[in-house]
């Protein structure tokens, strides 16, 4: 059977993306990473992906355009690359309902909280400032709502008495980096 092809969508550092690529290279993820796409041409993650020998594409987000117009270049790249799974790894744009409906059950997202708690772009800070005892990481299938859809993996991360936002972020990212490649492998091999 030919390997399933993945597009990874990023906006920033791309540390989760890099862990997914590294897992694939060492045989821990049975898929082809077809392309890494960023809405931000300056995303450090694009350089990181190049350094890992991945094809990259910047589809710069233009504020004056509709969501659908901004997504058309992404859709084109997905279609041209024969992609069957879309993996969001710190992609910070809200996808249009049309985009989500085009790939039903085929878009996966990682979010740094125990959803439904603390959705949005600043989940780690929001949990920290709310004085929560526990936060964590959620991996889910994307539906038409923001940071929403069937959960496929979740792991708790306690917020410890001496934690700063930095120490908490470091522990959450460490969980993300372990959990995302492992969960994608289970999902693609139909273990979930
Ligand atoms: C990750 O913590 C991811 O969970 C989060 O952005 C970060 C990206 O880091 N995503 C969201 O907040 C989505 N709502 P990375 O670019 O280093 O992988």
């Amino acid at each position: 059977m030919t390997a399933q092809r993945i597009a990874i969508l990023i906006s920033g550092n791309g540390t989760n993306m890099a862990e997914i690529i590294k897992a694939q290279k060492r045989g821990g993820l049975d898929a082809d990473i077809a392309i890494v796409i960023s809405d931000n041409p300056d995303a450090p993650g694009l350089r990181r992906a190049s350094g890992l020998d991945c094809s990259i594409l910047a589809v710069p987000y233009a504020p004056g355009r509709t969501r659908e117009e901004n997504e058309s270049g992404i859709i084109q790249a997905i279609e041209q690359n024969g992609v069957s799974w879309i993996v969001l790894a710190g992609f910070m744009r809200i996808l249009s309902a049309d985009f989500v409906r085009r790939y039903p059950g085929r878009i996966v997202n990682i979010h740094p909280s125990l959803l439904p708690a603390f959705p949005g772009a600043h989940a780690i800070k929001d949990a920290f400032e709310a004085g929560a005892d526990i936060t964590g990481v959620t991996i889910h299938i994307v539906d038409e709502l923001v940071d929403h859809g069937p959960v496929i993996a979740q792991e708790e991360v306690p917020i410890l008495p001496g934690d700063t936002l930095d120490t908490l972020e470091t522990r959450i990212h460490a969980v993300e980096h372990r959990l995302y490649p492992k969960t994608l492998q289970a999902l693609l091999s139909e273990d979930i």
Side-chain angles (χ1 to χ4, degrees), residues 67 80 108 118 138 153 169 184 192:
R67 225 172 253 172
Q80 280 169 354
V108 190
F118 306 111
T138 301
E169 272 174 357
L184 289 172
I192 295 179

Side-chain angles (χ1 to χ4, degrees), residues 12-16 89-90 92 110-112 120 147 173 176:
N13 280 331
T15 64
N16 279 287
M92 302 311 265
I110 188 163
H111 184 78
D147 292 329
H173 290 316
E176 290 189 316

Side-chain angles (χ1 to χ4, degrees), residues 13-178:
N13 280 331
T15 64
N16 279 287
M17 169 216 71
E19 293 306 317
I20 293 165
I21 296 170
K22 286 189 227 161
Q24 190 266 347
K25 284 183 188 294
R26 61 171 182 263
L29 176 59
D30 188 14
D32 288 338
I33 314 293
I35 191 158
V36 171
I37 304 172
S38 176
D39 63 308
N40 167 16
D42 301 322
L46 283 177
R47 285 195 299 280
R48 222 187 270 274
S50 269
L52 289 163
D53 292 325
C54 268
S55 302
I56 59 167
L57 178 71
V59 181
Y61 173 83
R65 295 203 198 146
T66 63
R67 225 172 253 172
E68 288 77 7
E69 283 166 346
N70 271 303
E71 287 164 351
S72 68
I74 298 177
I75 292 172
Q76 206 179 351
I78 287 170
E79 306 295 325
Q80 280 169 354
N81 281 280
V83 163
S84 50
W85 288 94
I86 298 157
V87 171
L88 309 183
F91 183 71
M92 302 311 265
R93 300 277 164 205
I94 296 170
L95 295 168
S96 70
D98 277 0
F99 187 99
V100 174
R101 280 191 220 119
R102 188 183 277 263
Y103 306 105
R106 290 283 169 161
I107 310 173
V108 190
N109 184 41
I110 188 163
H111 184 78
S113 76
L114 295 177
L115 289 173
F118 306 111
H122 309 287
I124 304 178
K125 188 164 177 270
D126 292 346
F128 185 73
E129 289 180 353
D133 293 330
I134 292 180
T135 184
V137 173
T138 301
I139 297 169
H140 66 98
I141 298 293
V142 171
D143 69 12
E144 292 172 30
L145 304 177
V146 178
D147 292 329
H148 192 270
V151 170
I152 49 181
Q154 226 167 16
E155 190 168 317
E156 291 182 357
V157 176
I159 302 182
L160 305 173
D163 260 339
T164 62
L165 185 54
D166 267 5
T167 59
L168 178 61
E169 272 174 357
T170 302
R171 284 208 317 289
I172 288 184
H173 290 316
V175 170
E176 290 189 316
H177 295 166
R178 177 171 43 74

